[in-house]
Every structure is written in structure tokens, then in C-alpha cells.
């Protein structure tokens, strides 16, 4: 016998021999292809796959381990399923089972809708990819459930939220300012306010979530962007900039009156002086280098 040598049996091995098997017709009514792995609990597959879902509870694809079946958009085909073996305990996936497969857990699973992390809407005939946006009523409802004693993870699961991060952020805002802060609208921030937020965060060693709640800023990414700009450009990086592309149209007016130049702010004056000093410094370096070269060549 050699190391790594494969010694097959003289007979063929029947795949999933003796296990319960069923056939089901599956149609992909979505606009994206869906691929299902060999050991995925077929009852919990993507909502864009339409079939008699109830009869597939406790079954998986009858294919070799590590392989998969692909369903193209609009495709309909018959597939074979085989009963899940072993201890028949199924966890994760779309969180419809999360325990041992039996008649009791099947009744519970049938009462739930698919979890949003399947990335499709709960609509068999119009499946599309989406990003979740939450209404004010939804936020208030979630907060009230947490205040009644339900855990954050439990509330997120009951309300079909794919992530607990938004709920944690809402709770932080509620704790700092109640319902008004939770439902605050978009605001415009001055450069001085931005600087105050950043320096307060650094001084008190706060996280992005804590800082956002403290100053009623809805998105932690906003503060993160301010920090990067402040690190790179100082206070001038926090100044408001015009959005959009500059106009490409040229003025047709020949008798254009020159408007008086706008006075520079103190920060802009310092930046302009700094730029001029750098230019002078570079010019002096080049001049000294040229003088040394002339001395070597004997020029005067």
C-alpha cells in the first residue's frame, strides 16, 4: 500500500440508501439565480423558489455532499429530496427550525415567515433585493417591547430585523433624549459643531454610538467621516463644500461687472500664507543648489 493510494471497493455504493425520499417541482420566480447546497434544509430556502414547502420539512437535496443545484430565473424543474440524517438537529439558516426536526417543531416552523436575511421580500410572485428602512412607528414599537423586558435579540427576531445594530442605536438615542431624539430629522451641522463633537469624543474616550446619542446624530458614519477629515486637514476639512459638479456654461455677458472679492476667513488666510511660505522655501532651496553648482564650475 502506498501513501495516498485510493483503494475502491469492487461494488458500487448507493447514495442515501434506505432513507426516505420525495420528489418536488420547484420554480424560481425571482430575477436572480438561486443556488442551494447539498445539506441545506430545503424547507428554509430562498422565498423566490416556489414549491410545496410544507412537504419538504426535514429534507435536503438528494445529491453528493459538497455539490449544489442551481435554479436560473424563470426555471422550473423537478428535484429529489432525501430525509436529513443523524440527530436531525437543524440550526441557523433562516432560523425556522433551530432544534430537532419532528412534528411538534414542524407546527412551530409553519407559523413563522422566512427571516429577512434570505434577502428577498415576503412575496412569492414578486421577489427583489432590498435594503430595510424602518418607519417611526416601527422604531417606537421596538423600543416599547424592549422596555417591557424583552431582550434585544428576541425583539429583533420577532420583528424580523436581520441585524440588532439599528435597535441598539435606537435604544441609545432613546436613553439620551426620549422619543423626540429617537425620531429626530436630518440636520445641518456647522464646522464649529463638528469640531466640538470630535474633541468631546476624544476627551471622554467615547465610542461612535455613544457620541451619536450624546449629540443626537442619527448616523455614526457621519462622525467617522468628520474624524477622518479633521485628522487629515484640520478645521478646514470640516468646512462645508458645494455639492455637485461645477457649471460648464460660460457667461455670454461681455459687459460683466467685476464683483468685489469675498474676504478670506482667518483659517483661509493662514492656509494661503502657509502655501506661499512653502513656495518661497522651495525656491530658496533651488537657488542655493544652483549657487553651489556654479561655484563648482568656477562661475561667479
Amino acid at each position: 500500500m502506498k501513501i495516498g493510494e485510493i483503494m475502491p471497493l469492487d461494488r458500487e455504493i448507493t447514495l442515501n440508501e434506505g432513507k426516505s425520499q420525495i420528489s418536488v417541482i420547484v420554480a424560481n420566480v425571482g430575477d436572480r439565480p438561486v443556488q442551494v447546497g447539498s445539506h441545506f434544509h430545503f424547507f428554509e430556502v430562498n422565498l423566490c423558489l416556489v414549491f410545496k414547502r410544507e412537504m419538504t420539512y426535514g429534507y435536503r437535496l438528494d445529491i453528493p455532499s459538497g455539490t449544489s443545484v442551481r435554479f436560473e430565473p424563470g426555471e422550473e424543474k423537478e428535484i429529489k429530496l432525501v430525509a436529513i440524517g443523524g440527530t436531525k438537529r437543524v440550526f441557523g439558516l433562516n432560523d425556522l427550525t433551530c432544534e430537532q426536526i419532528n412534528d411538534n417543531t414542524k407546527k412551530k416552523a409553519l407559523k413563522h415567515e422566512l427571516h429577512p436575511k434570505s434577502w428577498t421580500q415576503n412575496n412569492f410572485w414578486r421577489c427583489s433585493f432590498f435594503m430595510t428602512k424602518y418607519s417611526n412607528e416601527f422604531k417606537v414599537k421596538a423600543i416599547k417591547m424592549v422596555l417591557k423586558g424583552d431582550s434585544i435579540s428576541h425583539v429583533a427576531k420577532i420583528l424580523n430585523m436581520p441585524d440588532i445594530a439599528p435597535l441598539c442605536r435606537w435604544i441609545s438615542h432613546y436613553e439620551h433624549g426620549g422619543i423626540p431624539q429617537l425620531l429626530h430629522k436630518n440636520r445641518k451641522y456647522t464646522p464649529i459643531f463638528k469640531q466640538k463633537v470630535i474633541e468631546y469624543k476624544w476627551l471622554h474616550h467615547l465610542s461612535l454610538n455613544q457620541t451619536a446619542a450624546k449629540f443626537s446624530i442619527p448616523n455614526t458614519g457621519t462622525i467617522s467621516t468628520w474624524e477622518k477629515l479633521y485628522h487629515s486637514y484640520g478645521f478646514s476639512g470640516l468646512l462645508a463644500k458645494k455639492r455637485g459638479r461645477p457649471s460648464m456654461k460660460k457667461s455670454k455677458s461681455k459687459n460683466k461687472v467685476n464683483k468685489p472679492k469675498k474676504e478670506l476667513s482667518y483659517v483661509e488666510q493662514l492656509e494661503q500664507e502657509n502655501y506661499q511660505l512653502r513656495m518661497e522655501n522651495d525656491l530658496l532651496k533651488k537657488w542655493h543648489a544652483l549657487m553651489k553648482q556654479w561655484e563648482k564650475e568656477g562661475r561667479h
Side-chain angles (χ1 to χ4, degrees), residues 168-225:
C168 293
R169 190 163 57 248
W170 301 341
I171 293 172
S172 183
H173 280 295
Y174 179 82
E175 290 175 347
H176 280 81
I179 296 296
Q181 181 166 328
L182 175 67
L183 307 180
H184 58 266
K185 303 292 183 181
N186 293 334
R187 295 169 49 189
K188 292 183 179 180
Y189 307 101
T190 63
I192 295 176
F193 176 80
K194 296 174 186 177
Q195 184 183 33
K196 177 184 176 182
V197 171
I198 295 167
E199 292 181 352
Y200 188 92
K201 176 181 180 295
W202 293 348
L203 180 63
H204 295 85
H205 306 285
L206 300 180
S207 66
L208 288 172
N209 279 330
Q210 290 172 329
T211 309
K214 173 69 178 177
F215 292 94
S216 302
I217 299 171
N219 194 348
T220 56
T222 303
I223 303 173
S224 179
T225 301

Side-chain angles (χ1 to χ4, degrees), residues 123-164:
N123 185 332
F124 284 129
W125 301 106
R126 189 178 179 183
C127 296
S128 60
F129 292 77
F130 73 102
M131 292 181 67
T132 305
K133 290 186 178 181
Y134 303 99
S135 65
N136 290 338
E137 293 76 11
F138 185 92
K139 295 177 182 179
V140 173
K141 178 181 178 181
I143 291 295
K144 287 182 177 179
M145 292 177 68
V146 174
L147 294 177
K148 287 181 180 178
D150 293 330
S151 67
I152 294 175
S153 58
H154 178 69
V155 172
K157 186 173 181 179
I158 293 297
L159 298 179
N160 287 336
M161 296 177 64
D163 187 11
I164 65 170

Side-chain angles (χ1 to χ4, degrees), residues 22-24 43 51-57 59 81 106:
I22 60 173
S23 296
V24 61
F43 176 80
F51 54 94
K52 294 181 179 179
R53 197 170 289 263
E54 181 179 353
M55 66 181 295
T56 63
Y57 188 81
Y59 284 83
L81 303 177
K106 181 178 180 179

